[in-house]
Amino acid sequence: MEHRLPLHTLYFAYLLTAWLFPNTMGAGELIIGMEQEPVMPHLDGNTIIVDGCPVVGKAKADLLKNVLLKKFSAIGEIIYSNLPMNDTEQTSGYMFLTYATPELATKAVKEMNNLALDKAHTLLVTSLSDYSKSINVGKHWNPPEKKPYHDVGNLRSWLLNEFARNQFALLHQNGDKCSIFWHTNSEEIRIEERDDWSEGWIHWSPHGTYLATMHSQGVILWGGDKFERVARFAHRDVGMLDFSPNEKFMVTLSQNAEAREKQNHSLCDMIIWDVRKGTPCRNFSGSINSWPTFKWSHDDAYVATLQGGKIYIYETESFRLIDKKPLAMPVSIYDFAWSPTENIISFWTPETNNTPARVALMSIPSRKELCTKNLFSVAEIQLIWHPQGDFLCVQVLRCNKKKIEGGQVKYLGTFVNFELVRMREKLYPIDQVSVKDAATVTCFAWEPTGNRFAYIATDSSGKITIPLYELTKSGKVGEVSIFDRGNSRINELRWSPKGGTFVIASLRTADATIEFIDANDCQSVAKVDHAMASELHWDGTGRYLASVVSWFKHKSDNAVWFWNSVGRPLYHKQVTGLHIFAWRPFPPSLLTPEQIQSIKKTLASKYSAQFDAEDKMLASKASREVIERRQVLASEFNVWRTSLLSRYSADKAKRDKLRGVDTDKEVGEETEEELEFLVKTSREVVRRES
């Protein structure tokens, strides 16, 4: 079907066609066109308008055109192009490009819009079809239909629980069922359970406001008392998602359609969404090496990603690159991490033949370097921030010698040392802790609310120790204690979110054990067994620990065991096909550190008796609830049994007719028969004593 233009837009159509197809129309054809009402070529969906181009003279026009064509040809085949000139023999600041297919034009708009051509020019790319719609707006404006407001309830209602209970979610039955429970000291209380709630993973938002489920068409956020749908985000074949720290934004990822055909799994499409508005902020396409690809500042003001050895930092007001250029160093940046409490970014560059490895702290957006450290004989570096942003640990794997075999670098005589940066002191002093006796160092972890850290060290003979260090205010790093665990298979260390206690465990083994250690008294308070345990999860309050046997590690006997903070078992729950266990996170406390400290001081004297009384009341209440639930089940069974008896009675006439007798009154004849059979034959000789 031909799309005909009205006569009053004929001149625009002629000019546009002349720009796109300069050799296809003459003045005579224009006159004929005016008499016969011309037909617009069906290429408006293939054509894009590139605005924001530099304005240059005729001498540089061809050079500019070639530069733009080179950039936009990376999207696909361009069949026509035109860079219009004005009356002063200068370019008009925009360009028309026609691709071979509408899909390529759509891709160009998606990927090339807001492209920084240079420091002074950012290209704005628009589809010609969209431009045509904008100039053909009708005279009469119809206001959009007002949608009724749907109240999903208080999105943080779970915080109002009178007993300060926490919630947890389970994805089980091999992913076919999702359940949410209240956690108590003696049992779980089911809140919600749905079949096929998610087609992929489930994910709590960082403050626990939303539960995200993944589907073939995108992501859905649920919340409120009854977990109603709050928002929906369309992203076909979404495979991963991640939230910003304050839940303002969400990133979704899917495999690139073209890459899927070529079986290139590293090429992906990513969308950053505004969670409250439900609208996309910016799209990205490219290869990824790790997830999450985007890392957020603590206040959601900036988001950064590492690509090609450069850090691209975007401000989240408009999602434009700050300073219109990435953060680059003479040597490619290998990794980076944001401070959890300030807009400070840490990054490191590897060692080369002529330059040492380098670790730096930089303030954003000023890009002012706050602290740098050069390191030699470096094999690898890890950047580990303290959860409160008080310290930064630079874990350095050093080597005595490097050797290249088969094009790969091998490090000989490796050992570990920690460079500890004090972020709250002037000039950012750095302390050093060397670990030369250990063959491997794993699971370095800061105490979340203190100034201590611990890690697992294994020597060449397989002996395991867990050193505990403290950074004192006097500027020293002291070893508080060291826990010797011999040849045990400990492979996990987790601090309680409130500090003071950490657990060490030998996970993913048939005889898995979990040990609770009091860091204040430097002693083990409990050691428990949980065979085949594969995961450990502290709840947000630090009062409970869940040990999980996941389906991904063990196909049978999937279960969750709950322990209190000193290792006393509370209860366990068998869960078939358990894929995911996740505590619901808590938002940051509104109390000041001084108020929290005051509560801790008066906790025993002021609240202990009250809490003990409430615990006893809850225990008796729990017993009553169990009895009430059993009564409900018995009542439901009796109703079901009564309905079956009613059906049996209703079918009596049909049953008697089919059998010819009243089966309810029929008495069968009884025949009594005696059977005799030989059981055993024995012969016994009795001799009489003389």
Side-chain angles (χ1 to χ4, degrees):
M1 180 181 294
E2 295 180 339
H3 176 67
R4 297 185 178 274
L5 287 175
L7 289 176
H8 68 272
T9 59
L10 175 62
Y11 187 62
F12 168 77
Y14 169 72
L15 290 178
L16 178 60
T17 308
W19 281 334
L20 294 176
F21 317 108
N23 299 320
T24 61
M25 180 177 287
E29 292 176 278
L30 174 61
I31 298 174
I32 296 173
M34 293 182 68
E35 294 174 352
Q36 298 180 356
E37 191 174 358
V39 178
M40 184 71 172
H42 292 279
L43 291 175
D44 52 345
N46 301 41
T47 305
I48 63 172
I49 304 173
V50 183
D51 198 5
C53 301
V55 177
V56 299
K58 189 174 182 179
K60 295 183 179 180
D62 289 340
L63 178 61
L64 174 61
K65 184 176 180 179
N66 291 334
V67 170
L68 294 173
L69 284 175
K70 183 178 180 181
K71 288 184 176 295
F72 282 86
S73 295
I75 300 296
E77 181 186 0
I78 297 175
I79 57 176
Y80 296 105
S81 64
N82 186 268
L83 185 65
M85 306 289 289
N86 57 26
D87 296 338
T88 61
E89 295 296 319
Q90 288 186 317
T91 58
S92 300
Y94 52 86
M95 184 179 187
F96 294 94
L97 297 173
T98 301
Y99 283 93
T101 65
E103 290 76 18
L104 291 175
T106 302
K107 184 179 179 182
V109 173
K110 180 179 177 181
E111 297 185 11
M112 305 299 283
N113 190 35
N114 289 318
L115 175 69
L117 185 63
D118 53 39
K119 291 183 178 180
H121 298 88
T122 299
L123 302 180
L124 302 177
V125 184
T126 309
S127 171
L128 178 60
S129 58
D130 291 341
Y131 180 76
S132 300
K133 292 177 184 177
S134 66
I135 65 172
N136 292 320
V137 177
K139 295 182 179 180
H140 301 286
W141 177 75
N142 296 320
E145 181 181 355
K146 187 176 181 180
K147 296 182 180 180
Y149 172 70
H150 177 59
D151 186 7
V152 297
N154 185 357
L155 294 178
R156 293 191 172 179
S157 58
W158 91 97
L159 297 175
L160 302 177
N161 183 270
E162 59 178 328
F163 302 113
R165 289 171 175 163
N166 199 355
Q167 294 180 0
F168 63 88
L170 299 177
L171 184 65
H172 54 112
Q173 298 291 344
N174 293 324
D176 293 336
K177 184 172 290 188
C178 181
S179 307
I180 300 174
F181 299 89
W182 286 111
H183 168 72
T184 72
N185 283 336
S186 57
E187 62 177 345
E188 78 285 354
I189 301 174
R190 187 170 64 192
I191 305 170
E192 193 73 29
E193 185 171 87
R194 300 178 190 175
D195 293 331
D196 301 319
W197 198 348
S198 177
E199 297 176 26
W201 305 113
I202 59 172
H203 194 94
W204 290 109
S205 60
H207 293 173
T209 308
Y210 309 105
L211 176 69
T213 59
M214 301 169 64
H215 308 268
S216 59
Q217 300 299 321
V219 174
I220 299 178
L221 300 186
W222 310 83
D225 294 336
K226 299 180 180 179
F227 288 94
E228 298 183 54
R229 190 171 76 182
V230 177
R232 186 175 181 178
F233 305 85
H235 188 169
R236 189 174 181 83
D237 298 326
V238 61
M240 301 291 286
L241 66 89
D242 184 50
F243 285 92
S244 64
N246 294 313
E247 303 179 343
K248 292 182 181 179
F249 304 100
M250 179 178 68
V251 185
T252 56
L253 174 145
S254 68
Q255 189 179 358
N256 184 277
E258 296 180 7
R260 193 182 300 114
E261 296 177 359
K262 299 177 182 178
Q263 295 185 347
N264 185 351
H265 300 291
S266 64
L267 289 177
C268 298
D269 294 328
M270 290 160 282
I271 304 176
I272 299 180
W273 302 87
D274 186 306
V275 171
R276 290 190 176 182
K277 295 180 181 178
T279 56
C281 300
R282 182 154 182 178
N283 298 357
F284 294 88
S285 294
S287 60
I288 65 168
N289 298 317
S290 62
W291 182 260
T293 302
F294 291 94
K295 299 179 182 180
W296 300 85
S297 63
H298 76 287
D299 56 359
D300 291 1
Y302 303 97
V303 61
T305 182
L306 181 65
Q307 296 290 334
K310 302 176 183 179
I311 303 176
Y312 292 78
I313 307 174
Y314 301 87
E315 47 84 15
T316 56
E317 287 292 329
S318 63
F319 281 91
R320 293 192 177 185
L321 198 64
I322 62 172
D323 296 337
K324 298 182 179 180
K325 61 181 179 181
L327 174 60
M329 293 289 136
V331 179
S332 295
I333 298 173
Y334 196 87
D335 194 14
F336 75 98
W338 286 96
S339 164
T341 54
E342 298 177 273
N343 287 334
I344 295 176
I345 201 167
S346 59
F347 61 88
W348 70 278
T349 59
E351 187 175 11
T352 63
N353 293 331
N354 300 321
T355 58
R358 183 169 177 265
V359 179
L361 293 174
M362 182 175 288
S363 177
I364 301 298
S366 66
R367 301 200 183 196
K368 177 184 177 182
E369 285 195 354
L370 306 176
C371 177
T372 61
K373 176 79 172 183
N374 292 332
L375 300 167
F376 296 89
S377 303
V378 172
E380 187 180 358
I381 290 177
Q382 294 182 43
L383 304 171
I384 308 169
W385 280 95
H386 186 279
Q388 304 298 324
D390 297 335
F391 309 100
L392 170 66
C393 171
V394 182
Q395 181 175 323
V396 186
L397 178 63
R398 295 181 181 271
C399 63
N400 294 322
K401 186 178 179 181
K402 295 181 181 179
K403 186 178 180 181
I404 300 178
E405 290 184 359
Q408 294 184 345
V409 180
K410 291 188 176 182
Y411 301 98
L412 306 177
T414 58
F415 61 95
V416 173
N417 74 275
F418 303 114
E419 307 286 339
L420 306 172
V421 185
R422 297 174 181 262
M423 298 298 298
R424 305 305 182 199
E425 299 183 21
K426 292 183 179 180
L427 302 179
Y428 306 100
I430 301 175
D431 301 310
Q432 188 179 82
V433 176
S434 296
V435 191
K436 291 190 176 181
D437 296 333
T440 60
V441 172
T442 58
C443 300
F444 178 98
W446 289 103
E447 182 181 19
T449 57
N451 55 353
R452 294 176 289 195
F453 65 87
Y455 58 90
I456 300 174
T458 308
D459 65 15
S460 56
S461 65
K463 180 182 177 182
I464 290 179
T465 56
I466 296 90
L468 177 65
Y469 284 84
E470 181 178 17
L471 280 75
T472 63
K473 293 183 179 180
S474 60
K476 296 182 179 180
V477 181
E479 185 179 279
V480 178
S481 181
I482 185 166
F483 303 92
D484 188 348
R485 292 300 177 265
N487 293 321
S488 61
R489 290 178 288 177
I490 294 172
N491 52 20
E492 189 67 57
L493 186 153
R494 295 284 182 91
W495 281 94
S496 164
K498 299 303 179 183
T501 302
F502 65 89
V503 295
I504 54 177
S506 55
L507 300 181
R508 298 173 292 278
T509 61
D511 54 348
T513 61
I514 306 169
E515 185 175 359
F516 293 75
I517 296 178
D518 186 337
N520 297 321
D521 295 334
C522 298
Q523 64 179 4
S524 175
V525 294
K527 186 175 182 180
V528 298
D529 297 325
H530 186 183
M532 300 306 301
S534 56
E535 302 171 12
L536 296 179
H537 301 274
W538 282 101
D539 86 313
T541 66
R543 294 181 296 173
Y544 307 107
L545 177 77
S547 56
V548 178
V549 180
S550 169
W551 179 86
F552 296 107
K553 298 298 181 182
H554 198 62
K555 303 304 180 185
S556 61
D557 299 329
N558 302 141
V560 184
W561 283 74
F562 294 92
W563 319 84
N564 68 5
S565 59
V566 293
R568 183 171 66 86
L570 302 177
Y571 65 95
H572 73 278
K573 179 177 178 60
Q574 296 294 131
V575 187
T576 303
L578 176 58
H579 282 195
I580 293 177
F581 172 91
W583 290 105
R584 189 169 192 172
F586 284 97
S589 175
L590 299 178
L591 299 176
T592 64
E594 292 76 17
Q595 290 173 320
I596 294 175
Q597 193 63 29
S598 174
I599 292 173
K600 287 182 178 180
K601 289 181 179 179
T602 59
L603 187 63
S605 59
K606 188 175 181 180
Y607 299 103
S608 181
Q610 176 186 343
F611 290 161
D612 289 342
E614 288 182 356
D615 287 342
K616 291 180 180 179
M617 182 184 68
L618 287 174
S620 60
K621 183 179 179 180
S623 300
R624 288 198 304 272
E625 289 177 350
V626 170
I627 294 173
E628 289 173 358
R629 280 203 300 274
R630 289 175 179 173
Q631 290 175 346
V632 170
L633 292 174
S635 176
E636 292 176 352
F637 172 78
N638 289 331
V639 171
W640 174 74
R641 181 175 180 274
T642 302
S643 66
L644 292 182
L645 291 175
S646 299
R647 287 177 55 190
Y648 181 81
S649 300
D651 294 339
K652 183 179 185 308
K654 295 180 181 179
R655 191 167 56 252
D656 293 347
K657 183 178 180 181
L658 289 172
R659 298 180 181 178
V661 293
D662 187 350
T663 56
D664 294 341
K665 296 181 179 181
E666 181 182 3
V667 179
E669 296 182 359
E670 295 183 1
T671 303
E672 184 175 343
E673 183 178 354
E674 291 185 4
L675 297 176
E676 295 183 1
F677 54 91
L678 183 63
V679 177
K680 183 178 181 182
T681 301
S682 62
R683 182 178 180 183
E684 185 176 354
V685 178
V686 178
R687 295 183 180 180
R688 187 174 182 180
E689 295 182 358
S690 57

